[in-house]
Amino acid sequence: MRTWQLQTAKARFSEVFERARTEGPQRVTRRGKDAVVIVPAEQFEKMTERPKPKGTLLEFFRNSPFVGLEMKF
């Protein structure tokens, strides 16, 4: 992963963008500390996607270990 200083990344944003698309994530620092990582949209989607539920809500309740359990309130 290549690291860019903020000023350089701003001045060469098109290059940072292209490298993120072709080479992978690009790290940007600010005042010597990690600030952001630029990643391709596809990679971001994979990193943030939620797991798909298995079955319906009705099936979830039907398969509950509490089915048939009597509760007193």
Side-chain angles (χ1 to χ4, degrees), residues 2-72:
R2 180 159 179 184
T3 300
W4 304 78
Q5 292 180 347
L6 179 59
Q7 287 299 99
T8 305
K10 285 167 51 175
R12 297 170 60 186
F13 183 75
S14 292
E15 182 180 350
V16 175
F17 174 89
E18 280 303 317
R19 285 182 183 242
R21 301 282 307 148
T22 59
E23 297 174 17
Q26 303 291 301
R27 184 181 309 269
V28 180
T29 62
R30 182 176 178 188
R31 296 184 185 124
K33 295 181 182 177
D34 289 343
V36 298
V37 176
I38 300 173
V39 297
E42 298 85 4
Q43 186 174 350
F44 177 77
E45 292 300 324
K46 286 180 185 175
M47 292 169 24
T48 59
E49 92 182 2
R50 293 181 180 172
K52 304 281 187 240
K54 297 175 184 170
T56 66
L57 183 59
L58 179 60
E59 290 169 339
F60 171 80
F61 284 116
R62 280 185 178 156
N63 295 322
S64 168
F66 302 109
V67 169
L69 181 67
E70 285 193 37
M71 301 175 104
K72 294 182 181 180

